[in-house]
Amino acid sequence: MDYIVLHFSFQTKSKKTLARPGVKNIVLVEGVRTPFLFFCSNSIVISFSDFPFCLCRGLLNRTGVPKDAVDYIIYGTVIQEVKTSNVAREAAMGAGFSDKIPAHTVTMACISSNQAMTSAVGLIAAGQCDAVVAGGVEFMSDVPIRHSRKMRKTMLSLNKAKTLGQKLSLIGSIRMAHLSPELPAVAEFSTAETMGHSADRLAAAFGVSRVEQDEFAVRSHSLAKKAQESGLLEDVISFKVPGRDIVSKDNGIRPSSMEQMAKLKPAFIKPHGTVTAANSSFLTDGASAVLIMSEEKALAMGYKPKAYLRDFVYVSQDPKDQLLLGPTYSTPKVLERAGLSMSDIDVFEFHEAFAGQIMANLKAMDSDWFAQTYMGRKSKVGTPSMDKFNLWGGSLSLGHPFGATGCRLVTTVAHRLKKEGGQYGLVAACAAGGQGHAMVIEAYPQ
């Protein structure tokens, strides 16, 4: 199955701007990311903090922004390394930013860097800051693995033991069961259900077939490969893996055929499920970062912004049966805030957690019944045109470092708007906990 997408450079379409009187214009100046790497591949020899260090330095080098010109730094992450619980601060210090710049780390599952960016927007809108670095990082190759609760209790008691007899007694109480580790799981705390299992149920509820999911996955990988070979993924910054070669591109892009896809067995609901390893996003290492400024500050410093960051919303719904429907709930809300309709949007970038999740959201968005029954709306919002949708690949193919995907989505929208001559872009994503996010982005005049 071949997907051919032609890209041209146009002048931005003449539509109304979303600028509002008395409201500060906030712009994306630059966005960068590491190559997104399949976990336990090249990145296994580096550490969690190396990714954001690299990105902050890369952002400094690409923009030339003075190290003391940034007012605040915010990073998002999901599975935190205990030694660097505030990775934003450590990344800033390691990259050489002034130690006078405050920094904090946020977590909101797969929309953690979205939260970092919108927190930056809020600080600038409130007049607290003029320039903020926001980003995200995830390092699945070296996630913290805990001892069992019994072993942790014994070790803490051992640390407090005062006499040799007390210590020997505690050591003697250790059994084989104590040594069983607790591995992190991509599962809901409230339901104990893995996200893949939930995606499989969601696909079944909306009648999404295995063929539809495999076709979408093939599309994602094919478009990502074309974008990579065409040099469109210009946000990627190369970095050196200690003792190995320089890594300069995403390594999870693997175009396949429908025949090959059909050979894979269900990964979660066996034997009749439809979600497989090939039509799901894969565990990924990577980081991303963006420089966000007030338009006034950016122009005063001589920058040409990439895009305006406009309206955004966060949503939340039932984490059991609607865990991955964030885009369905957030899209109509953000369009209403911006005074736009689906037909006004020139570029769509939705997070692809699973092909089944994407297809289920598209069907929900095209359903009057779902809108009226579950969302309290009079009618459906409608579906994005596939001619505008994730044309440079998505999380299924490029990879999905949980805390870093949001910045990739926003930067991709900005680049696509410039390349394709559009004016409005829309980012939407689901997240664990039944949460979601959407943002409208407006092209900066060329």
Side-chain angles (χ1 to χ4, degrees), residues 273-338:
T274 56
V275 174
T276 70
N279 60 37
S280 308
S281 58
F282 50 90
L283 296 178
T284 314
D285 298 332
S288 58
V290 295
L291 176 60
I292 299 172
M293 290 183 171
S294 65
E295 182 181 28
E296 183 180 8
K297 179 72 170 181
L299 296 179
M301 293 185 69
Y303 291 114
K304 180 64 181 292
K306 290 180 178 290
Y308 293 108
L309 302 182
R310 298 301 193 189
D311 292 279
F312 62 86
V313 298
Y314 288 92
V315 296
S316 190
Q317 55 278 339
D318 173 23
K320 181 171 179 61
D321 294 323
Q322 298 186 2
L323 177 69
L324 303 172
L325 289 178
T328 298
Y329 282 86
S330 60
T331 296
K333 285 189 175 183
V334 79
L335 289 175
E336 286 179 355
R337 286 183 63 89

Side-chain angles (χ1 to χ4, degrees), residues 21-45:
V23 177
K24 189 176 295 186
N25 281 328
I26 299 170
V27 296
L28 172 72
V29 174
E30 186 59 88
V32 295
R33 66 180 177 91
T34 66
F36 286 176
L37 304 176
F38 200 95
F39 87 117
C40 291
S41 55
N42 283 328
S43 53
I44 190 63
V45 296

Side-chain angles (χ1 to χ4, degrees), residues 180-414:
S180 179
E182 289 182 4
L183 302 174
V186 185
E188 286 297 302
F189 181 81
S190 60
T191 66
E193 183 178 40
T194 65
M195 191 170 283
H197 195 283
S198 182
D200 220 328
R201 289 197 302 107
L202 186 68
F206 282 91
V208 181
S209 69
R210 166 72 182 271
V211 170
E212 286 179 290
Q213 294 175 63
D214 287 352
E215 284 179 343
F216 186 85
V218 169
R219 175 189 188 271
S220 181
H221 281 271
S222 299
L223 292 177
K225 185 68 173 177
K226 286 182 172 64
Q228 188 179 68
E229 292 176 345
S230 301
L232 298 175
L233 308 181
E234 59 187 87
D235 55 332
V236 177
I237 289 182
S238 301
F239 72 96
K240 180 74 168 65
V241 177
R244 300 194 184 184
D245 295 332
I246 292 174
V247 179
S248 58
K249 62 182 183 179
D250 308 316
N251 69 0
I253 303 173
R254 299 172 184 178
S256 186
S257 67
M258 288 296 291
E259 291 72 26
Q260 290 173 311
M261 298 283 284
K263 294 177 182 178
L264 274 74
K265 295 181 179 180
F268 300 99
I269 298 180
K270 305 172 183 181
H272 303 300
T274 56
V275 174
T276 70
N279 60 37
S280 308
S281 58
F282 50 90
L283 296 178
T284 314
D285 298 332
S288 58
V290 295
L291 176 60
I292 299 172
M293 290 183 171
S294 65
E295 182 181 28
E296 183 180 8
K297 179 72 170 181
L299 296 179
M301 293 185 69
Y303 291 114
K304 180 64 181 292
K306 290 180 178 290
Y308 293 108
L309 302 182
R310 298 301 193 189
D311 292 279
F312 62 86
V313 298
Y314 288 92
V315 296
S316 190
Q317 55 278 339
D318 173 23
K320 181 171 179 61
D321 294 323
Q322 298 186 2
L323 177 69
L324 303 172
L325 289 178
T328 298
Y329 282 86
S330 60
T331 296
K333 285 189 175 183
V334 79
L335 289 175
E336 286 179 355
R337 286 183 63 89
L340 300 175
S341 65
M342 290 290 277
S343 61
D344 291 317
I345 305 300
D346 304 299
V347 166
F348 292 92
E349 285 291 332
F350 279 27
H351 164 47
E352 302 169 353
F354 303 87
Q357 160 257 332
I358 286 288
M359 301 306 295
N361 271 278
L362 296 181
K363 294 194 177 193
M365 293 167 72
D366 199 35
S367 169
D368 283 322
W369 177 84
F370 187 87
Q372 294 162 3
T373 305
Y374 290 99
M375 300 174 66
R377 306 185 66 85
K378 293 180 180 179
S379 61
K380 64 188 180 184
V381 67
T383 55
S385 166
M386 297 308 287
D387 292 335
K388 304 176 181 179
F389 190 86
N390 291 17
L391 295 188
W392 294 358
S395 300
L396 289 176
S397 49
L398 299 171
H400 174 40
F402 301 146
T405 289
C407 290
R408 176 190 68 78
L409 293 171
V410 168
T411 302
T412 300
V413 165

Side-chain angles (χ1 to χ4, degrees), residues 93-170:
M93 297 284 285
F97 279 99
S98 168
D99 60 9
K100 303 297 190 291
I101 300 172
H104 78 268
T105 301
V106 298
T107 186
M108 200 174 181
C110 300
I111 51 177
S112 292
S113 61
N114 305 75
Q115 182 58 250
M117 288 184 289
T118 57
S119 295
V121 168
L123 287 171
I124 296 171
Q128 294 290 317
C129 302
D130 285 316
V132 180
V133 170
V137 59
E138 213 65 50
F139 191 51
M140 300 302 295
S141 292
D142 189 23
V143 296
I145 298 174
R146 302 202 305 178
H147 284 290
S148 67
R149 180 178 290 273
K150 289 181 179 179
M151 189 62 179
R152 296 199 303 271
K153 183 178 179 181
T154 301
M155 292 172 72
L156 290 171
S157 298
L158 189 62
N159 190 51
K160 293 190 295 183
K162 296 180 179 180
T163 68
L164 178 61
Q166 289 175 329
K167 292 178 180 180
L168 291 174
S169 175
L170 286 166

